[in-house]
Amino acid sequence: MTKIFLKKNQERRIRSGHPWVFSNEIWKVEGSEESGEIVEVLDFRGKFLGIGYYNPHSLISIRLLSREKEEIDKNFFIKHIQKAQQFRERIYPQEKSYRLIFSEGDFLPGLIVDKYENFLVIQVLTLGMERLKEKILEALQEIMKPQGIYEKSDLTLRHLEGLKEEKGLLFGEIGSPLMIEENGLRFLVDIEQGQKTGWFFDQRENRLAMSSYAKGARVLDCFCYTGAFSIYAAKAGVTAVKGIESKDTAIDLACKNAKLNRVSAKVRFEIDDVFEALRKKEEKREEYDLIILDPPSFAKSKKEIEGAIRGYKEINLRAMKILKSGGILVTWSCSYHIENQLFKEILLEAGRDAHCVLQLLGFRHQSMDHPVLLAAKETEYLKCAILKVEK
């Protein structure tokens, strides 16, 4: 096995639990430098640190899989998938759909696996995991015994690893849309054409948290996608919910989901650009008791942070202007590069410009099936602020 030695004093972050080795931290390589191969990682003195996969053409050159000397074979993946499944069954004993594998958060960097009832959808993000895909599939079939496995690796992130985008059926049979149940509600999920793998499991607990503010409220759900927040709110006893989404395919599924949960009478969906819709509602002097803002990532890299700050400020400012005094704003950033404190500062500035005083009722993150590695802040990406807006 190829051995890769780190520069002096570069092992501290690794020893604290971070799974990445950057290219500028490598001192020397003993052995081949084949992209995607399994390698041993050692410190400057030759002390073993772990085993990972190597891509000399990537800024993140090594992603660690194990801190022990062990074979990275089917049994390795069986062990890790079993641990991940047991944890999900412990935290969600009544649920059959959840994120089964959350990449670095489950010590399998570059791999996402979502469980939709008896079906699995996987995303393979890195060259190292791509080379291990057959072993992963064998382990998933043996443990989970799914009816079908679908790959949704249609991400531009793969280009950085020298990989093409891939999607399609890998095993068994699988239809789309699929039906799942979450917290007693039912939803149709389009795994083929939908965002990510079709559903946002990372918002499970946030949907429940939002619901506690929805009773008797007039609600506006921005970037509503397939209607999950709208339907949770309707079930909590709202006066009315309006959902806004720019994609007609998502709105079509949202309408079906509202009907499926018998809340169509309280929920309306419209196709529109959220920025433009908020502007028009301000001009019409519409008012809401609860506004939900769950936008896509505005900053996928550091160079996009400045534009993201402007985008987050604008949508939150516009939302605050059409909230009643004492109304609730539930707002997110899923941009890792927008850190917690920066997000709070953006909201504070938006409140100042909207002439509002903001009370922070809660600050939340992703759901428990997306565990955060304390040593790797990159695994904590989702930020949710629940604000009471006083005017």
Side-chain angles (χ1 to χ4, degrees):
M1 187 181 294
T2 294
K3 297 180 186 295
I4 296 183
F5 294 78
L6 304 188
K7 293 176 182 176
K8 193 173 184 179
N9 297 326
Q10 294 300 316
E11 74 280 1
R12 294 174 183 173
R13 183 172 44 80
I14 302 302
R15 286 207 169 108
S16 73
H18 201 289
W20 296 350
V21 174
F22 293 95
S23 57
N24 63 353
E25 296 170 332
I26 293 173
W27 171 39
K28 66 177 180 177
V29 178
E30 290 185 358
S32 72
E33 293 193 50
E34 185 181 349
S35 297
E37 72 173 325
I38 301 297
V39 298
E40 280 190 25
V41 182
L42 303 99
D43 69 9
F44 182 76
R45 295 179 178 84
K47 188 172 181 180
F48 178 81
L49 295 172
I51 291 175
Y53 56 78
Y54 178 48
N55 188 343
H57 307 295
S58 173
L59 176 63
I60 304 172
S61 292
I62 304 168
R63 298 174 196 252
L64 291 183
L65 294 167
S66 178
R67 308 278 169 158
E68 301 174 7
K69 292 187 177 183
E70 59 180 321
E71 285 290 321
I72 307 302
D73 54 12
K74 184 181 79 169
N75 290 330
F76 169 84
F77 288 104
I78 286 174
K79 176 180 68 174
H80 279 275
I81 293 166
Q82 283 177 333
K83 285 177 67 175
Q85 182 194 21
Q86 288 164 5
F87 174 65
R88 271 66 177 180
E89 289 175 347
R90 179 181 174 188
I91 59 173
Y92 301 133
Q94 307 302 320
E95 302 291 317
K96 295 182 179 178
S97 299
Y98 42 74
R99 175 146 292 183
L100 176 64
I101 300 293
F102 177 51
S103 197
E104 280 84 355
D106 283 297
F107 310 106
L108 293 174
L111 177 65
I112 300 288
V113 182
D114 283 342
K115 180 178 182 291
Y116 292 100
E117 302 290 315
N118 294 321
F119 302 93
L120 300 177
V121 180
I122 73 167
Q123 290 183 320
V124 180
L125 310 178
T126 58
L127 178 59
M129 276 300 179
E130 182 69 30
R131 290 185 55 168
L132 294 163
K133 188 160 68 176
E134 288 306 314
K135 295 180 176 69
I136 294 165
L137 293 174
E138 289 172 11
L140 286 170
Q141 290 175 56
E142 185 169 323
I143 299 164
M144 307 303 298
K145 297 180 171 51
Q147 288 180 245
I149 302 176
Y150 189 87
E151 182 173 10
K152 190 79 182 297
S153 301
D154 54 346
L155 302 103
T156 55
L157 181 64
R158 281 171 60 96
H159 300 172
L160 300 175
E161 293 279 319
L163 296 169
K164 296 185 298 182
E165 296 179 32
E166 300 280 354
K167 61 184 291 188
L169 186 67
L170 298 178
F171 166 77
E173 56 183 15
I174 193 165
S176 189
L178 298 173
M179 185 182 293
I180 66 167
E181 187 170 310
E182 181 183 280
N183 294 319
L185 302 176
R186 293 186 297 165
F187 297 95
L188 294 170
V189 178
D190 184 354
I191 63 166
E192 292 183 5
Q193 303 302 325
Q195 297 176 35
K196 291 192 174 180
T197 68
W199 184 252
F200 291 86
F201 286 117
D202 55 2
Q203 295 282 27
R204 183 194 306 266
E205 283 95 61
N206 292 330
R207 286 189 266 268
L208 286 174
M210 175 279 304
S211 298
S212 64
Y213 299 96
K215 188 174 182 180
R218 186 170 182 233
V219 179
L220 181 64
D221 180 11
C222 302
F223 307 98
C224 69
Y225 188 42
T226 57
F229 279 106
S230 295
I231 291 160
Y232 269 76
K235 280 292 186 178
V238 298
T239 301
V241 184
K242 181 174 287 186
I244 304 172
E245 170 61 46
S246 61
K247 295 179 180 176
D248 54 357
T249 52
I251 288 290
D252 180 60
L253 215 52
C255 292
K256 290 176 181 177
N257 284 331
K259 186 176 181 180
L260 193 61
N261 290 281
R262 300 180 180 179
V263 294
S264 296
K266 288 187 175 183
V267 181
R268 284 181 51 210
F269 296 106
E270 60 183 52
I271 301 170
D272 204 347
D273 173 80
V274 169
F275 288 87
E276 183 64 20
L278 289 173
R279 185 189 62 77
K280 288 186 288 189
K281 291 179 185 302
E282 183 185 351
E283 288 176 354
K284 293 177 182 178
R285 298 189 177 182
E286 293 185 19
E287 285 190 314
Y288 295 87
D289 305 293
L290 170 62
I291 296 179
I292 300 159
L293 284 179
D294 184 19
S297 176
F298 290 163
K300 294 182 179 179
S301 66
K302 281 187 177 181
K303 65 182 180 182
E304 296 176 331
I305 290 177
E306 206 171 301
I309 290 171
R310 290 193 297 270
Y312 285 122
K313 181 183 174 183
E314 182 181 348
I315 57 169
N316 282 283
L317 170 62
R318 292 192 181 280
M320 290 172 190
K321 286 184 175 181
I322 60 173
L323 268 171
K324 291 181 180 178
S325 184
I328 302 296
L329 174 62
V330 188
T331 181
W332 283 267
S333 166
C334 63
S335 305
Y336 156 69
H337 295 285
I338 304 295
E339 296 188 353
N340 293 349
Q341 188 56 38
L342 176 56
F343 188 47
K344 290 177 184 178
E345 289 169 4
I346 293 167
L347 296 174
L348 183 61
E349 191 173 332
R352 188 183 301 119
D353 288 358
H355 308 293
C356 301
V357 176
L358 306 178
Q359 292 176 294
L360 184 64
L361 305 181
F363 198 82
R364 305 176 57 84
H365 297 281
Q366 64 244 38
S367 59
M368 291 185 289
D369 53 355
H370 292 63
V372 173
L373 279 184
L374 202 56
K377 64 180 183 178
E378 296 87 353
T379 57
E380 184 181 78
Y381 66 96
L382 189 64
K383 293 152 287 287
C384 169
I386 302 176
L387 301 168
K388 186 180 179 189
V389 179
E390 296 287 356
K391 298 182 177 180

